[in-house]
Amino acid sequence: MTAALVLRAAERRDAAELAVLVEIASHGFATWLWYGAVMRGNKDTAMEQGRSRMRDDHEPGAWKDATLAEWDGEIAGVSIGYNLEESVRDIVAPHPVIKPLLDLQVTVIGSRFIDSLGVYRHHRRKGIGRALLAREIEKAKGRQVSLITESHNETAQALYRASGFVEKARLPAVPLFEDSKRHDWVLFARDMT
């Protein structure tokens, strides 16, 4: 029997799995963000905050914007995308680490922005990431598609380039910690015209 890939809209009840996949896609960045709720005493763990964030019915980048990939009935990956609205200009970075990301997003307002694209390690090299990326391109309905990745994430960059994305800009990332690996945030976009 051949393995079957199914893409489906996420449901609110998928929030915990979404949080894990967003954490994988962000290489630890999401947990760093979510840990603020622990420091404020609102949550017991960063992943609890991530689950709460993914359950949100109104914020962009939560369950309503997510597509899940299932491989033989098991959740294998996720893409989260939404239309980048003018309101991104009004967001004040709550921490210097966030500022370069917002500065890059402002340059692609109006595009479909892929916030997260992640696949569990044991499901990689099966075409799941490519299928999720194609679904996001389809959802753009002719608009530009954009995303931001780390400069050292060569595997992801190869996938994006093979799918018609080109580098538009890059900014140095503000390190999360003193010993963090230095990198740039790289903005990729795919024009549909």
Side-chain angles (χ1 to χ4, degrees):
M1 189 160 110
T2 309
L5 173 63
V6 173
L7 301 182
R8 69 168 175 87
E11 299 175 16
R12 196 168 194 257
R13 65 187 171 117
D14 296 316
E17 194 98 39
L18 291 170
V20 172
L21 284 160
V22 167
E23 170 64 1
I24 289 169
S26 72
H27 304 114
F29 190 71
T31 300
W32 179 85
L33 284 172
W34 298 334
Y35 193 71
V38 177
M39 297 301 291
R40 291 186 300 275
N42 299 333
K43 300 290 183 205
D44 291 326
T45 70
M47 288 308 290
E48 181 185 6
Q49 173 61 17
R51 179 182 177 274
S52 293
R53 173 69 180 82
M54 291 299 110
R55 288 173 52 82
D56 193 296
D57 290 333
H58 305 292
E59 289 295 315
W63 71 272
K64 287 184 178 182
D65 295 322
T67 299
L68 284 169
E70 293 183 349
W71 187 268
D72 281 346
E74 176 187 356
I75 292 176
V78 70
S79 65
I80 299 177
Y82 48 87
N83 299 332
L84 203 53
E85 306 289 341
E86 281 286 335
S87 60
V88 76
R89 290 185 196 279
D90 302 327
I91 298 173
V92 176
H95 190 282
V97 166
I98 309 297
K99 187 165 181 359
L101 295 164
L102 291 172
D103 289 347
L104 289 170
Q105 286 180 357
V106 165
T107 69
V108 287
I109 287 173
S111 71
R112 177 154 186 92
F113 183 72
I114 301 174
D115 185 84
S116 295
L117 180 68
V119 176
Y120 285 116
R121 183 178 296 270
H122 67 282
H123 281 299
R124 293 180 188 156
R125 304 237 177 261
K126 297 177 181 177
I128 296 168
R130 189 175 310 280
L132 286 164
L133 186 58
R135 178 63 58 91
E136 291 297 333
I137 292 168
E138 179 183 306
K139 285 181 175 183
K141 298 180 180 171
R143 269 179 287 122
Q144 181 184 63
V145 182
S146 62
L147 55 88
I148 298 170
T149 191
E150 298 160 317
S151 56
H152 55 78
N153 192 345
E154 294 172 11
T155 302
Q157 289 183 41
L159 170 63
Y160 305 144
R161 285 188 175 99
S163 298
F165 286 78
V166 295
E167 182 178 329
K168 294 289 189 178
R170 64 172 58 209
L171 290 173
V174 174
L176 295 179
F177 307 104
E178 210 172 281
D179 61 347
S180 292
K181 184 176 186 176
R182 304 288 189 226
H183 67 88
D184 290 339
W185 291 116
V186 184
L187 173 69
F188 279 89
R190 182 180 193 273
D191 293 325
M192 305 299 277
T193 53

